[in-house]
Amino acid sequence: QEERSVRNHCSECNPGAGLVGALCQHLTCETGLGAACKSCVPQSERTAFDECASCNPGYTLNGKTCEAITCSLGPDEACRTCRTQEARTAKDECESCNPG
C-alpha cells in the first residue's frame, strides 16, 4: 500500500491486458492489409499488442507477427521476376525464371 504512487497502481494484469506504466490496459489488435493481422489472437490469450492469429495473402506468421514472404531476384537459379506480394505462398516464388 505504501509503495503505490498512482491510483490503481498495478503490478500485474488480468489475461488479455498488459501493463502500460503502472496501469493495466487492454491489449488491442488491429486488422488490415499487408503486414497487418488478417485475424487476431483472442483478447483473453494476448500477451502483447497486435498479436496475429492469421496473415493476409503474401505474408506469413513469425511467432504472432505477420512478415512478408520474400523473393530474391538475380541470375542463374534466382528469380528473373517475382510473383506479386499478395500472390506469394512460399519464399522465392518466381513469376519468371532466368534462361537455362
Side-chain angles (χ1 to χ4, degrees), residues 69-73 77-79 82 88 90-95:
I69 298 172
T70 59
C71 181
S72 302
L73 297 174
E77 293 179 9
C79 295
C82 294
R88 294 179 196 163
K91 183 179 178 188
D92 293 327
E93 277 190 304
C94 301
E95 184 70 28

Side-chain angles (χ1 to χ4, degrees), residues 16 30 36 52 82 89-90 97:
E30 293 189 32
C52 302
C82 294
T89 58
C97 299

Side-chain angles (χ1 to χ4, degrees), residues 4 6-13 18-25:
R4 293 183 184 167
V6 178
R7 185 177 180 178
N8 295 326
H9 189 155
C10 301
S11 62
E12 60 182 49
C13 302
L19 280 174
V20 178
L23 303 174
C24 289
Q25 181 177 339

Side-chain angles (χ1 to χ4, degrees), residues 19-91:
L19 280 174
V20 178
L23 303 174
C24 289
Q25 181 177 339
H26 286 286
L27 296 172
T28 58
C29 180
E30 293 189 32
T31 57
L33 302 174
C37 300
K38 181 176 181 179
S39 65
C40 297
V41 169
Q43 176 76 44
S44 63
E45 296 175 22
R46 292 183 198 152
T47 58
F49 289 96
D50 295 313
E51 287 187 321
C52 302
S54 66
C55 300
N56 292 301
Y59 296 81
T60 187
L61 275 176
N62 181 2
K64 294 180 183 176
T65 303
C66 292
E67 293 182 350
I69 298 172
T70 59
C71 181
S72 302
L73 297 174
D76 304 321
E77 293 179 9
C79 295
R80 181 174 181 191
T81 60
C82 294
R83 295 181 76 187
T84 62
Q85 186 67 52
E86 298 77 26
R88 294 179 196 163
T89 58
K91 183 179 178 188

